[in-house]
Amino acid sequence: MGGDGGVVAVNRRYMRGAGSADHTGDYAKEGGHHEHNGLEAMTTCHLTKLPLFSNGSNGSSGSIGSTSSGPIVACVFGRLYQKEAAVEALLTRASSNGGGASLTSTTSVLGDHVRKMSDLHEVRFHQDTAATSSNTKKKGIVNLTCPITGKALLGIIPAILLVPGKAGTPNVLSESAFDHLPKEELELEYGPIKQKIRLAPPPELLKQLQEEELENRLQKKSKQQQKKNKKKRKQDGEGGGEQKSKPKKQAKANIGTAAKSRVDSAIESNQVLSSLFTTTNPSKKTDKERKDGLFAR
C-alpha cells in the first residue's frame, strides 16, 4: 500500500460493527440472551418457526381448534407447536433411540419434558376477526382474544391455557379473567380444569417453571425408587423366612425319629415292656402262653 493512506475496504475487520448483522437472529451466538418476543411466541410454532395462523378466516368470531396449518398443541412450559410437527419430532426421536437416524435440531428443541403426545395439550383460541388491529393485519395474523374480557392475547397480556377444557370450546383465557372468576363458573362454561398453563412465558418465568418441573420429576423418580426398594425388601423377607423355617422343621423331625427309635429298642430288649406294648389279641393266646406271661411279670 506504499504509505499513500489507502485502506483495504473489503477487509471487514476494519469496518465498524462488521459481521454483527449476520447474527441478529442467532441466539446461541449471544449466549442465549435475547429479547422475548411475545407476539412471535404466541403465533409461531416453537419447532418449525412457521406461522400457526393465517388470514384465511370465515369473517366471523369463533373458536379455533385448528387452522390452515393444522391443530395446535402446547407443552407444560407454554410453548406452542403445530401438532403435526410435534408428532414428527417424537417419531424421529423414537427411531434415533432405536438406532436409526440421529437426533436433529428439531427434536432437541422439543425438549426432554415431552416424551409422548399425552405431554402435549390441545389449544383452542377464541378468534375475533372484527377486532383485528392494524398491526396484526400488516403481519398477516388473526386477532386472538380472551372470550371473557375481549383483550387481545398476542404476547402482551398473559394468556392461560385451561387443560383439558370442553371440546369445541375455547380454552385460552386472559390471566385477569382466570383470577377474577370462580373456578366453578369457569368449569361450567369452559369444561373441567385439571391444570392451567401460562402460554409464552417470559424468560424469567420460564426458568422458574423449568426448575419446578425438574424438581417434580426428581421427586417422582425418588418415590418410585423407594416403592421399588420396599417391594424388593418385602419379597426378600418372605423368601428368607421360608428358608429359615425349613431347617427348624427338619431338626424337629430328626429328634422325633431318634426318640422313637430309642423307645422301640427299649421295648424289644425288655420282656416286660414287650408284653405290655404287644399288639397280639389276648383272646387268641393259649393257656400255656397266658401262664408263662403271668409268671414273667
Side-chain angles (χ1 to χ4, degrees):
M1 286 297 172
D4 57 356
V7 297
V8 183
V10 295
N11 194 335
R12 293 180 63 86
R13 64 178 179 171
Y14 294 112
M15 299 175 64
R16 181 175 298 178
S20 60
D22 295 341
H23 305 287
T24 53
D26 189 356
Y27 304 141
K29 182 77 174 179
E30 301 174 5
H33 301 287
H34 59 280
E35 185 178 355
H36 174 65
N37 190 330
L39 178 61
E40 179 182 349
M42 288 291 292
T43 57
T44 59
C45 175
H46 186 71
L47 289 175
T48 63
K49 302 304 179 184
L50 296 175
L52 292 171
F53 310 99
S54 67
N55 275 334
S57 59
N58 54 11
S60 61
S61 300
S63 62
I64 300 178
S66 61
T67 65
S68 59
S69 61
I72 303 170
V73 293
C75 67
V76 70
F77 295 148
R79 294 167 176 163
L80 297 171
Y81 311 89
Q82 293 174 340
K83 186 175 182 180
E84 183 178 354
V87 171
E88 290 179 358
L90 287 173
L91 293 175
T92 302
R93 177 188 289 171
S95 63
S96 64
N97 291 340
S102 59
L103 287 174
T104 63
S105 58
T106 302
T107 56
S108 60
V109 170
L110 187 60
D112 293 337
H113 63 288
V114 180
R115 294 288 182 179
K116 49 189 179 301
M117 283 305 299
S118 60
D119 295 329
L120 297 173
H121 311 285
E122 185 180 358
V123 180
R124 300 181 296 275
F125 283 100
H126 180 266
Q127 176 186 355
D128 188 0
T129 55
T132 302
S133 63
S134 59
N135 185 34
T136 55
K137 282 183 178 179
K138 292 178 182 179
K139 295 179 178 295
I141 301 170
V142 295
N143 197 24
L144 311 176
T145 61
C146 172
I148 297 176
T149 63
K151 295 179 179 179
L153 303 179
L154 295 173
I156 299 177
I157 296 176
I160 302 297
L161 172 65
L162 308 180
V163 179
K166 185 189 298 182
T169 303
N171 61 347
V172 181
L173 310 177
S174 63
E175 189 175 44
S176 59
F178 179 83
D179 293 338
H180 286 85
L181 290 178
K183 184 179 179 181
E184 293 75 14
E185 292 185 16
L186 289 174
E187 290 187 328
L188 184 63
E189 180 69 22
Y190 299 101
I193 304 173
K194 296 183 179 179
Q195 184 181 2
K196 70 168 187 174
I197 298 175
R198 166 68 190 276
L199 295 180
E204 298 79 10
L205 180 57
L206 176 60
K207 183 178 179 181
Q208 179 182 346
L209 293 174
Q210 290 173 336
E211 291 175 352
E212 291 176 356
E213 178 67 16
L214 178 60
E215 184 177 354
N216 292 336
R217 287 169 60 184
L218 292 176
Q219 290 179 355
K220 185 177 180 181
K221 186 176 181 180
S222 177
K223 289 181 180 180
Q224 290 177 346
Q225 186 63 36
Q226 290 177 0
K227 186 176 180 180
K228 184 177 180 181
N229 293 340
K230 185 177 180 180
K231 184 178 181 181
K232 185 178 180 181
R233 287 196 299 268
K234 185 178 180 180
Q235 291 176 348
D236 293 343
E238 292 176 353
E242 293 178 358
Q243 293 177 358
K244 292 178 181 178
S245 62
K246 287 181 179 180
K248 291 182 179 180
K249 291 181 179 180
Q250 186 65 30
K252 290 181 180 180
N254 293 338
I255 293 173
T257 303
K260 186 175 183 300
S261 178
R262 288 195 294 271
V263 171
D264 292 341
S265 299
I267 292 174
E268 292 177 359
S269 60
N270 191 310
Q271 188 176 3
V272 176
L273 293 176
S274 178
S275 62
L276 289 174
F277 292 98
T278 182
T279 58
T280 307
N281 190 347
S283 61
K284 294 183 179 181
K285 289 184 178 181
T286 61
D287 292 339
K288 185 177 182 305
E289 288 175 344
R290 285 197 293 272
K291 290 179 181 179
D292 290 343
L294 181 63
F295 287 109
R297 294 187 183 92

